[in-house]
Amino acid sequence: MDEVRLRALREHIDELDEALAVLLERRAATAREIGAAKGDGPTYDPAREARILRNLQARHPDLDPEALGAVHREVISLCRGVQGHLSAACLGPEGSFSHAATLRALGHGVSLTLQPDLPSVFRALEEGSAALGVVPVENTLEGTVLPTLDAFSRAAREVRVLRELRLPVRHVLASREPALDRIREVHSHPQALAQCRLWLAGHLPGTPQIPEASTSGAAERAARTPGTACLCSREAAGLRGLTVLARDVQDHPHNATRFWVLGTGQAPEGNPRKTSLLFTVPHRPGTLLDALDPLREAGLNLTLIQSRPLPENPFEYFFCVDFQGPAEAPEAARALEVMGTRCFRLRILGSYPVES
């Protein structure tokens, strides 16, 4: 080992770290000036943040793009914080996939409150205790997260979708027990249990599967209950001191959940890639087809259509639709205008950028 060369290289690393810190100070100072120039403009601009990350990743192909993205998201989060206090709400407890999605979307510079259920996330936005909310909307295996759509149907019109991001779902089996043969029950959210059904059948056949409100809540139970294992994220297991007995126990390697970042007030400018709608139609034959036909005529590609019961009208429904492209595009705007004349209610939930 060349001790002299090693010492010199380490001193150079120290110099580079100091230079990085100085640049961060300068970036934060500039961000503060931008905040002053924007006045009451939005602190959170997902389209611009996504564009910054894409450009950096394209200009520096020798750096791992995922790692570079993770580092620079935290840089953006730090600098966003100097423009003003930014608060967010998501489904807890700590270590949930919603928690992980929130940190990926907003970084650690956000002031985060963990909510007991999805309606509470919407209430935090409506009451002003949080500026942003992060909610799951669809899983590649289990489909639409129906409580999110139900909460959106009752939410104030000011609540809108600002951004979509997709989070890979990687489940671990964790417990305070040291081995699989000590496991007597498996706890998790019903979707996690469903996403790991083949692995559980092969490795823990006949073991009772107990549903919990969240994967992180299941981790809390496993931490305090002998003989209990949970399906959760690796982060949730680590936070509670659990032993990971098996990794990547999901049945499908491409399992992912898409999340919406929600906010109120003016939507940030950008280049939306998707638009989401909520609408109701008269309860007569053909009205749903009539409402959707303007979207077909405009050549808009639908990526989701979901019906949900109207609580106040038994066996009647509201509908949610996603289509590719911005609502402001001329063909989409014309289609939505015609569609509005054929619906009892038509609400644009958001026209927003998508991060894969």
Side-chain angles (χ1 to χ4, degrees):
M1 181 184 296
D2 188 339
E3 292 287 353
V4 174
R5 176 168 171 73
L6 183 60
R7 184 166 56 253
L9 290 172
R10 285 175 172 167
E11 289 174 355
H12 185 50
I13 285 287
D14 292 342
E15 293 170 358
L16 292 173
D17 286 342
E18 179 62 26
L20 284 173
V22 170
L23 286 174
L24 282 174
E25 288 179 342
R26 291 170 56 187
R27 194 186 193 284
T30 304
R32 188 177 290 107
E33 293 180 18
I34 290 173
K38 287 193 297 188
D40 294 332
T43 300
Y44 179 57
D45 189 342
R48 173 167 168 75
E49 292 181 8
R51 187 166 60 251
I52 290 171
L53 292 178
R54 286 196 303 271
N55 290 341
L56 283 173
Q57 290 164 333
R59 290 198 299 267
H60 302 279
D62 292 339
L63 294 174
D64 176 80
E66 185 66 25
L68 177 60
V71 169
H72 210 72
R73 284 188 194 97
E74 292 300 332
V75 171
I76 291 173
S77 182
L78 183 153
C79 293
R80 193 195 305 121
V82 305
Q83 294 184 3
H85 175 73
L86 186 65
S87 58
C90 73
L91 182 65
E94 190 177 14
S96 68
F97 286 103
S98 291
H99 183 209
T102 304
L103 294 180
R104 175 167 176 169
L106 304 174
H108 288 75
V110 67
S111 175
L112 185 59
T113 58
L114 302 174
Q115 303 294 332
D117 51 43
L118 290 170
S120 297
V121 176
F122 283 82
R123 281 196 296 272
L125 286 170
E126 293 168 338
E127 295 168 359
S129 59
L132 301 172
V134 178
V135 295
V137 64
E138 186 180 21
N139 177 263
T140 51
L141 301 181
E142 300 303 313
T144 306
V145 181
L146 301 178
T148 293
L149 299 188
D150 292 344
F152 227 136
S153 74
R154 297 186 292 268
R157 294 191 68 87
E158 291 76 16
V159 178
R160 58 169 54 89
V161 183
L162 302 181
R163 174 188 177 187
E164 178 185 306
L165 72 152
R166 299 169 188 177
L167 187 74
V169 176
R170 300 288 181 264
H171 292 298
V172 302
L173 184 85
S175 176
R176 56 186 284 186
E177 303 293 351
L180 284 179
D181 60 9
R182 303 277 293 273
I183 301 305
R184 301 293 175 260
E185 291 181 348
V186 178
H187 291 242
S188 197
H189 188 277
Q191 280 200 350
L193 293 169
Q195 291 162 10
C196 304
R197 62 169 65 92
L198 296 178
W199 190 96
L200 291 171
H203 293 82
L204 290 169
T207 304
Q209 300 174 18
I210 312 299
E212 298 277 357
S214 67
T215 55
S216 47
E220 290 181 347
R221 183 177 296 276
R224 64 176 185 264
T225 310
T228 298
C230 65
L231 297 169
C232 64
S233 69
R234 184 179 59 185
E235 292 77 10
L239 284 168
R240 292 157 182 86
L242 298 175
T243 299
V244 173
L245 301 178
R247 298 179 184 274
D248 289 332
V249 297
Q250 65 278 353
D251 297 331
H252 297 274
H254 303 299
N255 187 9
T257 298
R258 65 184 182 108
F259 289 83
W260 281 340
V261 179
L262 309 178
T264 58
Q266 181 181 358
E269 297 180 359
N271 183 28
R273 289 173 53 191
K274 187 181 286 187
T275 298
S276 295
L277 311 174
L278 184 152
F279 63 96
T280 58
V281 293
H283 192 48
R284 299 194 305 270
T287 54
L288 177 59
L289 178 61
D290 288 343
L292 292 175
D293 202 45
L295 304 181
R296 180 193 62 81
E297 291 180 349
L300 298 171
N301 185 33
L302 304 189
T303 59
L304 172 75
I305 179 167
Q306 179 73 54
S307 65
R308 293 296 295 149
L310 283 167
E312 65 275 15
N313 293 71
F315 302 107
E316 295 188 27
Y317 303 87
F318 71 86
F319 300 89
C320 287
V321 164
D322 290 352
F323 65 80
Q324 292 179 331
E328 296 79 12
E331 65 278 7
R334 286 193 296 270
L336 292 172
E337 183 178 1
V338 175
M339 188 177 178
T341 66
R342 303 178 183 182
C343 298
F344 273 146
R345 177 173 66 142
L346 173 62
R347 175 180 174 186
I348 299 176
L349 301 182
S351 197
Y352 48 88
V354 176
E355 177 192 335
S356 58

